[in-house]
Amino acid sequence: MRKIIVQKFGGTSVADTDKIKNVAKVVIKEKQNGNDVVVVVSAMGHTTDHLVKMAKALSPNPSGREMDMLLSTGEGVSIALLAMALQAEGYDAVSFNAMQVGILTENIHSKARIIDIKTDKLRKNLDEGKIIVVAGFQGVTEDGEITTLGRGGSDTSAVALAAALNAERCDIYTDVEGVYTTDPRVVPNASKLDEVSYEEMLELAHAGANVLHPRSVETAKQFAVPLRVRSSFKLDNLGTLILGVEKMELYKPVAGVAADLTQARIVVCDVPDTPGVAANLFSALAKENISVDMIIQSYARKISNTNDIAFTIDANDLSKTLAVLEKLKDKINAGDIKVDDEIAKVSIVGAGMIDRPGIASTMFETLAKLGVNIRMISTSEIKISCLVDKIDAQKSVKALHTVFDLECDVVADVKGDLPDV
Ligand code: ASP
Ligand code: MG
């Protein structure tokens, strides 16, 4: 049987018609290898940002439905153009949006999850020898409503398609050469990882390494889809292969360092130390689809019998979160609510830190030497995250990258602006 390869190209790879021609060449090369090819594309360049800006100019709080209606148009443009470019090269290609394929999602706007993907139409077209170009980022509910999967969601579309089609591999083509030990724009001699496990990549993605949409890694892990991140401009570089930890040959205690600069911290002060308070608080947030990241509940104060609950959220959810808390404040008998969005989460990640003492203390000592104050700490088996002031994030990343021996001799060839601090 012929193998199916799913290829995904991000916005920078399809930013203009010359770049779309380049993508067509990459696709054709895979087809010439004798594989069936399904291509997933994002919107061209900064199209989605531009659409968001127009929406915000018209309404401070546009409805989720209309937002999805608007944002899904970006990918509609790029699929048609890529299919045309492939046809112009003499290949039989056809583009489909999510509705035409049947990429079914939950009925939630702006961050829907994929429930099911119909494969009959895709298989029929592949059997006819066609190259299929599918719109990333979008889905459709059972009632025919258009949804989107959240910013950066085309990665997840690609992996979900690869899983549904039982593809040999999912190749994510982007403007960087793979997954690095940290953001090469911050640390120029960051090393490219040849391999990284799903588990590590998942933690890195959640920790703010903006290479892959976290849900794409989750899906790849769940369905054991081998995932490759590579550059669409440097084809001789095989990039980074993401696979099960049991298949990896070697792993260091720390595989990577990442900073998430889009967090906000909320402290709900003086809540009664009684059962049900945390349940009330976090279920109210969950109902509004707000994901909470770090959570810390302080030790109860004896005299007042109260404690503080601090947590972090995506800064984009801040106003929604405050609205929920305002309503809930009296019900849970809370005192002040404090907000801080000048913070960042700095994390070290590595499957090799399991059962290896001293990793956390090295991290804390390194930050202490820099005079960086740690505001919150959270850990998983393979990740340690510290919440620090936003202005300390970059120097913390640099120092941790050095102390855990992640540097390489070559300076990464990366363009692009530094993340905002
Ligand atoms: N176009 C969407 C975005 O900019 C989806 C994606 O690029 O993955 O977020
Ligand atoms: Mg992306």
Side-chain angles (χ1 to χ4, degrees):
M1 224 171 72
R2 293 163 68 86
K3 289 175 183 156
I4 301 175
I5 303 285
V6 175
Q7 301 182 314
K8 182 256 167 178
F9 295 87
T12 42
S13 304
V14 292
D16 54 43
T17 46
D18 281 338
K19 292 200 169 127
I20 291 178
K21 275 189 199 158
N22 174 59
V23 167
K25 284 203 187 104
V26 181
V27 174
I28 289 168
K29 201 166 156 239
E30 195 63 78
K31 179 78 181 161
Q32 284 172 343
N33 288 341
N35 295 316
D36 280 342
V37 188
V38 176
V39 193
V40 174
V41 281
S42 299
M44 293 170 73
H46 295 289
T47 302
T48 313
D49 290 333
H50 183 62
L51 294 171
V52 171
K53 224 181 191 169
M54 285 201 287
K56 293 272 153 84
L58 293 172
S59 158
N61 215 353
S63 82
R65 182 184 187 277
E66 300 313 327
M67 232 17 222
D68 281 353
M69 203 67 156
L70 175 70
L71 297 192
S72 64
T73 60
E75 275 67 13
V77 173
S78 40
I79 50 169
L81 291 176
L82 178 57
M84 286 175 199
L86 289 164
Q87 289 166 359
E89 293 293 323
Y91 284 79
D92 203 359
V94 58
S95 69
F96 293 127
N97 63 25
M99 210 183 278
Q100 290 169 309
V101 173
I103 301 181
L104 288 179
T105 71
E106 317 167 292
N107 192 3
I108 291 175
H109 288 294
S110 89
K111 45 180 162 183
R113 283 174 175 267
I114 296 174
I115 300 168
D116 189 30
I117 296 184
K118 306 255 179 281
T119 55
D120 22 323
K121 190 170 198 162
L122 297 173
R123 289 204 186 275
K124 182 171 164 283
N125 280 275
L126 288 176
D127 289 345
E128 290 166 7
K130 288 184 188 145
I131 297 172
I132 303 179
V133 186
V134 180
F137 179 54
Q138 50 180 258
V140 63
T141 68
E142 232 172 301
D143 303 333
E145 287 294 310
I146 292 174
T147 54
T148 61
L149 312 181
R151 295 303 307 269
S154 301
D155 297 338
T156 299
S157 310
V159 176
L161 276 161
L165 290 166
N166 220 339
E168 180 76 5
R169 208 176 56 243
C170 181
D171 287 340
I172 307 280
Y173 284 89
T174 175
D175 55 342
V176 293
E177 284 175 49
V179 180
Y180 284 81
T181 47
T182 195
D183 188 338
R185 293 167 303 176
V186 177
V187 182
N189 55 352
S191 334
K192 189 198 63 119
L193 297 161
D194 291 335
E195 287 184 348
V196 68
S197 66
Y198 295 126
E199 290 78 2
E200 288 167 317
M201 193 60 230
L202 201 52
E203 293 284 20
L204 281 170
H206 279 298
N210 287 324
V211 202
L212 287 173
H213 193 232
R215 278 198 347 248
S216 68
V217 187
E218 229 171 78
T219 310
K221 178 175 178 227
Q222 189 181 352
F223 296 98
V225 177
L227 195 60
R228 198 182 270 291
V229 176
R230 57 187 299 185
S231 161
S232 46
F233 306 107
K234 295 195 177 158
L235 295 174
D236 47 342
N237 191 331
L238 280 183
T240 302
L241 185 63
I242 305 163
L243 71 182
V245 70
E246 66 288 349
K247 297 213 173 113
M248 285 177 58
E249 298 198 349
L250 176 89
Y251 38 87
K252 284 187 177 184
V254 175
V257 183
D260 181 351
L261 303 173
T262 55
Q263 292 231 321
R265 180 178 70 153
I266 311 241
V267 188
V268 184
C269 300
D270 301 317
V271 284
D273 183 34
T274 49
V277 170
N280 270 326
L281 176 61
F282 294 110
S283 57
L285 295 173
K287 248 186 229 140
E288 291 298 320
N289 253 307
I290 298 165
S291 311
V292 176
D293 188 1
M294 297 168 144
I295 303 177
I296 289 182
Q297 178 174 313
S298 69
Y299 193 62
R301 287 179 282 269
K302 277 234 174 76
I303 300 172
S304 60
N305 200 30
T306 61
N307 52 30
D308 301 334
I309 298 180
F311 57 92
T312 63
I313 49 162
D314 184 330
N316 294 316
D317 285 338
L318 186 55
S319 54
K320 222 160 90 180
T321 304
L322 291 176
V324 171
L325 293 178
E326 209 39 57
K327 269 195 232 149
L328 197 73
K329 211 172 144 189
D330 292 338
K331 186 174 164 199
I332 59 172
N333 239 321
D336 285 348
I337 290 169
K338 293 186 185 148
V339 180
D340 188 353
D341 58 1
E342 285 303 312
I343 47 144
K345 182 177 71 171
V346 173
S347 309
I348 57 171
V349 173
M353 71 170 71
I354 299 174
D355 292 334
R356 209 177 301 204
I359 305 290
S361 60
T362 304
M363 179 176 194
F364 304 150
E365 274 162 21
T366 306
L367 297 180
K369 271 191 211 140
L370 293 173
V372 169
N373 194 21
I374 303 173
R375 296 172 173 276
M376 280 168 101
I377 299 170
S378 82
T379 60
S380 80
E381 255 192 332
I382 63 166
K383 179 178 76 173
I384 305 168
S385 300
C386 295
L387 201 69
V388 300
D389 287 342
K390 208 179 241 182
I391 50 166
D392 290 335
Q394 282 190 8
K395 68 176 176 198
S396 303
V397 167
K398 283 183 189 154
L400 292 166
H401 192 263
T402 306
V403 87
F404 288 109
D405 200 20
L406 298 173
E407 278 158 18
C408 76
D409 303 335
V410 272
V411 168
D413 173 21
V414 195
K415 291 169 200 73
D417 302 328
L418 272 174
D420 290 334
V421 178

